[in-house]
PDB file of all heavy atoms in Angstrom:
ATOM      1  N   LEU A 180      -1.659  21.458  14.706  1.00  0.00           N
ATOM      2  CA  LEU A 180      -2.776  20.510  14.873  1.00  0.00           C
ATOM      3  C   LEU A 180      -3.478  20.828  16.392  1.00  0.00           C
ATOM      4  O   LEU A 180      -2.799  21.169  17.206  1.00  0.00           O
ATOM      5  CB  LEU A 180      -2.321  19.197  14.768  1.00  0.00           C
ATOM      6  CG  LEU A 180      -1.447  18.806  13.520  1.00  0.00           C
ATOM      7  CD1 LEU A 180      -1.133  17.366  13.564  1.00  0.00           C
ATOM      8  CD2 LEU A 180      -2.350  19.240  12.241  1.00  0.00           C
ATOM      9  N   ALA A 181      -4.701  20.508  16.311  1.00  0.00           N
ATOM     10  CA  ALA A 181      -5.507  20.716  17.467  1.00  0.00           C
ATOM     11  C   ALA A 181      -6.852  19.961  17.288  1.00  0.00           C
ATOM     12  O   ALA A 181      -7.412  19.874  16.137  1.00  0.00           O
ATOM     13  CB  ALA A 181      -5.766  22.085  17.806  1.00  0.00           C
ATOM     14  N   ALA A 182      -7.525  19.474  18.281  1.00  0.00           N
ATOM     15  CA  ALA A 182      -8.765  18.789  18.359  1.00  0.00           C
ATOM     16  C   ALA A 182      -9.856  19.753  18.742  1.00  0.00           C
ATOM     17  O   ALA A 182     -10.247  19.752  19.943  1.00  0.00           O
ATOM     18  CB  ALA A 182      -8.835  17.542  19.065  1.00  0.00           C
ATOM     19  N   GLY A 183     -10.269  20.580  17.852  1.00  0.00           N
ATOM     20  CA  GLY A 183     -11.441  21.560  18.161  1.00  0.00           C
ATOM     21  C   GLY A 183     -12.764  20.874  17.985  1.00  0.00           C
ATOM     22  O   GLY A 183     -12.890  19.643  17.956  1.00  0.00           O
ATOM     23  N   ALA A 184     -13.804  21.810  18.031  1.00  0.00           N
ATOM     24  CA  ALA A 184     -15.196  21.224  17.948  1.00  0.00           C
ATOM     25  C   ALA A 184     -15.464  20.535  16.704  1.00  0.00           C
ATOM     26  O   ALA A 184     -16.092  19.421  16.656  1.00  0.00           O
ATOM     27  CB  ALA A 184     -16.044  22.440  18.115  1.00  0.00           C
ATOM     28  N   ASP A 185     -14.819  20.933  15.649  1.00  0.00           N
ATOM     29  CA  ASP A 185     -15.080  20.293  14.309  1.00  0.00           C
ATOM     30  C   ASP A 185     -14.525  18.903  14.328  1.00  0.00           C
ATOM     31  O   ASP A 185     -15.043  17.917  13.908  1.00  0.00           O
ATOM     32  CB  ASP A 185     -14.411  21.102  13.235  1.00  0.00           C
ATOM     33  CG  ASP A 185     -15.208  22.353  12.759  1.00  0.00           C
ATOM     34  OD1 ASP A 185     -16.432  22.386  13.171  1.00  0.00           O
ATOM     35  OD2 ASP A 185     -14.633  23.267  12.323  1.00  0.00           O
ATOM     36  N   ALA A 186     -13.213  18.802  14.886  1.00  0.00           N
ATOM     37  CA  ALA A 186     -12.591  17.474  14.936  1.00  0.00           C
ATOM     38  C   ALA A 186     -13.381  16.543  15.745  1.00  0.00           C
ATOM     39  O   ALA A 186     -13.584  15.273  15.505  1.00  0.00           O
ATOM     40  CB  ALA A 186     -11.164  17.568  15.471  1.00  0.00           C
ATOM     41  N   HIS A 187     -13.855  17.000  16.938  1.00  0.00           N
ATOM     42  CA  HIS A 187     -14.708  16.114  17.785  1.00  0.00           C
ATOM     43  C   HIS A 187     -16.055  15.639  17.067  1.00  0.00           C
ATOM     44  O   HIS A 187     -16.460  14.565  17.370  1.00  0.00           O
ATOM     45  CB  HIS A 187     -14.910  16.755  19.185  1.00  0.00           C
ATOM     46  CG  HIS A 187     -13.692  16.749  20.068  1.00  0.00           C
ATOM     47  ND1 HIS A 187     -13.269  15.512  20.597  1.00  0.00           N
ATOM     48  CD2 HIS A 187     -12.798  17.681  20.468  1.00  0.00           C
ATOM     49  CE1 HIS A 187     -12.156  15.766  21.305  1.00  0.00           C
ATOM     50  NE2 HIS A 187     -11.926  17.095  21.288  1.00  0.00           N
ATOM     51  N   GLU A 188     -16.542  16.666  16.216  1.00  0.00           N
ATOM     52  CA  GLU A 188     -17.792  16.333  15.551  1.00  0.00           C
ATOM     53  C   GLU A 188     -17.472  15.073  14.450  1.00  0.00           C
ATOM     54  O   GLU A 188     -18.298  14.225  14.364  1.00  0.00           O
ATOM     55  CB  GLU A 188     -18.285  17.403  14.907  1.00  0.00           C
ATOM     56  CG  GLU A 188     -19.714  17.138  14.204  1.00  0.00           C
ATOM     57  CD  GLU A 188     -20.406  18.474  13.856  1.00  0.00           C
ATOM     58  OE1 GLU A 188     -20.018  19.548  14.337  1.00  0.00           O
ATOM     59  OE2 GLU A 188     -21.511  18.409  13.207  1.00  0.00           O
ATOM     60  N   VAL A 189     -16.257  15.187  13.959  1.00  0.00           N
ATOM     61  CA  VAL A 189     -15.992  14.098  13.076  1.00  0.00           C
ATOM     62  C   VAL A 189     -15.760  12.790  13.767  1.00  0.00           C
ATOM     63  O   VAL A 189     -16.234  11.756  13.313  1.00  0.00           O
ATOM     64  CB  VAL A 189     -14.563  14.463  12.214  1.00  0.00           C
ATOM     65  CG1 VAL A 189     -14.029  13.253  11.444  1.00  0.00           C
ATOM     66  CG2 VAL A 189     -14.941  15.647  11.317  1.00  0.00           C
ATOM     67  N   ASP A 190     -15.055  12.938  14.917  1.00  0.00           N
ATOM     68  CA  ASP A 190     -14.829  11.744  15.823  1.00  0.00           C
ATOM     69  C   ASP A 190     -16.205  11.117  16.251  1.00  0.00           C
ATOM     70  O   ASP A 190     -16.450   9.921  16.235  1.00  0.00           O
ATOM     71  CB  ASP A 190     -14.057  12.285  17.079  1.00  0.00           C
ATOM     72  CG  ASP A 190     -13.795  11.060  17.975  1.00  0.00           C
ATOM     73  OD1 ASP A 190     -13.822   9.871  17.471  1.00  0.00           O
ATOM     74  OD2 ASP A 190     -13.508  11.293  19.158  1.00  0.00           O
ATOM     75  N   ASP A 191     -17.228  12.034  16.590  1.00  0.00           N
ATOM     76  CA  ASP A 191     -18.426  11.430  17.033  1.00  0.00           C
ATOM     77  C   ASP A 191     -19.285  10.742  15.903  1.00  0.00           C
ATOM     78  O   ASP A 191     -19.864   9.740  16.084  1.00  0.00           O
ATOM     79  CB  ASP A 191     -19.368  12.653  17.566  1.00  0.00           C
ATOM     80  CG  ASP A 191     -18.813  13.084  18.921  1.00  0.00           C
ATOM     81  OD1 ASP A 191     -18.219  12.342  19.674  1.00  0.00           O
ATOM     82  OD2 ASP A 191     -19.340  14.295  19.328  1.00  0.00           O
ATOM     83  N   PHE A 192     -19.134  11.350  14.785  1.00  0.00           N
ATOM     84  CA  PHE A 192     -19.789  10.759  13.492  1.00  0.00           C
ATOM     85  C   PHE A 192     -19.231   9.444  13.202  1.00  0.00           C
ATOM     86  O   PHE A 192     -19.894   8.402  12.950  1.00  0.00           O
ATOM     87  CB  PHE A 192     -19.660  11.661  12.248  1.00  0.00           C
ATOM     88  CG  PHE A 192     -20.078  10.959  11.151  1.00  0.00           C
ATOM     89  CD1 PHE A 192     -21.434  10.962  10.710  1.00  0.00           C
ATOM     90  CD2 PHE A 192     -19.234  10.258  10.295  1.00  0.00           C
ATOM     91  CE1 PHE A 192     -21.943  10.288   9.572  1.00  0.00           C
ATOM     92  CE2 PHE A 192     -19.671   9.524   9.116  1.00  0.00           C
ATOM     93  CZ  PHE A 192     -21.018   9.610   8.867  1.00  0.00           C
ATOM     94  N   LEU A 193     -17.817   9.228  13.200  1.00  0.00           N
ATOM     95  CA  LEU A 193     -17.172   8.053  12.828  1.00  0.00           C
ATOM     96  C   LEU A 193     -17.485   6.973  13.841  1.00  0.00           C
ATOM     97  O   LEU A 193     -17.535   5.774  13.441  1.00  0.00           O
ATOM     98  CB  LEU A 193     -15.721   8.252  12.751  1.00  0.00           C
ATOM     99  CG  LEU A 193     -15.205   9.206  11.495  1.00  0.00           C
ATOM    100  CD1 LEU A 193     -13.775   9.250  11.597  1.00  0.00           C
ATOM    101  CD2 LEU A 193     -15.579   8.446  10.159  1.00  0.00           C
ATOM    102  N   LEU A 194     -17.722   7.297  14.991  1.00  0.00           N
ATOM    103  CA  LEU A 194     -18.087   6.240  16.130  1.00  0.00           C
ATOM    104  C   LEU A 194     -19.522   5.801  16.013  1.00  0.00           C
ATOM    105  O   LEU A 194     -19.968   4.750  16.190  1.00  0.00           O
ATOM    106  CB  LEU A 194     -17.726   6.754  17.532  1.00  0.00           C
ATOM    107  CG  LEU A 194     -16.282   6.729  17.989  1.00  0.00           C
ATOM    108  CD1 LEU A 194     -16.079   7.351  19.253  1.00  0.00           C
ATOM    109  CD2 LEU A 194     -15.682   5.251  17.882  1.00  0.00           C
ATOM    110  N   ARG A 195     -20.437   6.914  15.740  1.00  0.00           N
ATOM    111  CA  ARG A 195     -21.801   6.593  15.764  1.00  0.00           C
ATOM    112  C   ARG A 195     -22.426   7.248  14.450  1.00  0.00           C
ATOM    113  O   ARG A 195     -23.300   8.107  14.596  1.00  0.00           O
ATOM    114  CB  ARG A 195     -22.502   7.210  16.995  1.00  0.00           C
ATOM    115  CG  ARG A 195     -22.106   6.529  18.187  1.00  0.00           C
ATOM    116  CD  ARG A 195     -22.659   7.232  19.366  1.00  0.00           C
ATOM    117  NE  ARG A 195     -21.856   8.474  19.628  1.00  0.00           N
ATOM    118  CZ  ARG A 195     -20.655   8.512  20.274  1.00  0.00           C
ATOM    119  NH1 ARG A 195     -20.208   7.407  20.863  1.00  0.00           N
ATOM    120  NH2 ARG A 195     -20.010   9.606  20.403  1.00  0.00           N
ATOM    121  N   PRO A 196     -22.159   6.789  13.269  1.00  0.00           N
ATOM    122  CA  PRO A 196     -22.628   7.362  12.068  1.00  0.00           C
ATOM    123  C   PRO A 196     -24.255   7.136  12.041  1.00  0.00           C
ATOM    124  O   PRO A 196     -24.661   6.000  12.398  1.00  0.00           O
ATOM    125  CB  PRO A 196     -21.901   6.644  10.915  1.00  0.00           C
ATOM    126  CG  PRO A 196     -21.638   5.249  11.575  1.00  0.00           C
ATOM    127  CD  PRO A 196     -21.309   5.657  12.918  1.00  0.00           C
ATOM    128  N   PRO A 197     -24.992   7.990  11.492  1.00  0.00           N
ATOM    129  CA  PRO A 197     -26.394   7.810  11.498  1.00  0.00           C
ATOM    130  C   PRO A 197     -26.758   6.675  10.480  1.00  0.00           C
ATOM    131  O   PRO A 197     -26.045   6.504   9.485  1.00  0.00           O
ATOM    132  CB  PRO A 197     -26.992   9.166  10.931  1.00  0.00           C
ATOM    133  CG  PRO A 197     -25.731   9.816  10.204  1.00  0.00           C
ATOM    134  CD  PRO A 197     -24.635   9.339  10.924  1.00  0.00           C
ATOM    135  N   THR A 198     -27.671   5.852  10.817  1.00  0.00           N
ATOM    136  CA  THR A 198     -28.023   4.664   9.960  1.00  0.00           C
ATOM    137  C   THR A 198     -29.499   4.363  10.259  1.00  0.00           C
ATOM    138  O   THR A 198     -30.138   4.789  11.198  1.00  0.00           O
ATOM    139  CB  THR A 198     -27.125   3.518  10.284  1.00  0.00           C
ATOM    140  OG1 THR A 198     -27.350   2.523   9.395  1.00  0.00           O
ATOM    141  CG2 THR A 198     -27.343   2.940  11.686  1.00  0.00           C
ATOM    142  N   HIS A 199     -29.999   3.579   9.397  1.00  0.00           N
ATOM    143  CA  HIS A 199     -31.392   2.989   9.537  1.00  0.00           C
ATOM    144  C   HIS A 199     -31.407   2.141  10.896  1.00  0.00           C
ATOM    145  O   HIS A 199     -30.511   1.490  11.252  1.00  0.00           O
ATOM    146  CB  HIS A 199     -31.757   2.071   8.364  1.00  0.00           C
ATOM    147  CG  HIS A 199     -33.282   1.710   8.341  1.00  0.00           C
ATOM    148  ND1 HIS A 199     -33.771   0.714   9.094  1.00  0.00           N
ATOM    149  CD2 HIS A 199     -34.211   2.214   7.557  1.00  0.00           C
ATOM    150  CE1 HIS A 199     -35.063   0.571   8.782  1.00  0.00           C
ATOM    151  NE2 HIS A 199     -35.363   1.586   7.924  1.00  0.00           N
ATOM    152  N   PRO A 200     -32.590   2.389  11.563  1.00  0.00           N
ATOM    153  CA  PRO A 200     -32.709   1.628  12.878  1.00  0.00           C
ATOM    154  C   PRO A 200     -32.528   0.171  12.854  1.00  0.00           C
ATOM    155  O   PRO A 200     -31.844  -0.413  13.791  1.00  0.00           O
ATOM    156  CB  PRO A 200     -34.196   1.843  13.247  1.00  0.00           C
ATOM    157  CG  PRO A 200     -34.447   3.153  12.617  1.00  0.00           C
ATOM    158  CD  PRO A 200     -33.766   3.209  11.225  1.00  0.00           C
TER     159      PRO A 200
END
Side-chain angles (χ1 to χ4, degrees):
L180 306 182
D185 288 336
H187 282 291
E188 187 162 349
V189 172
D190 183 23
D191 289 341
F192 171 86
L193 291 175
L194 285 176
R195 289 172 291 274
T198 189
H199 190 281

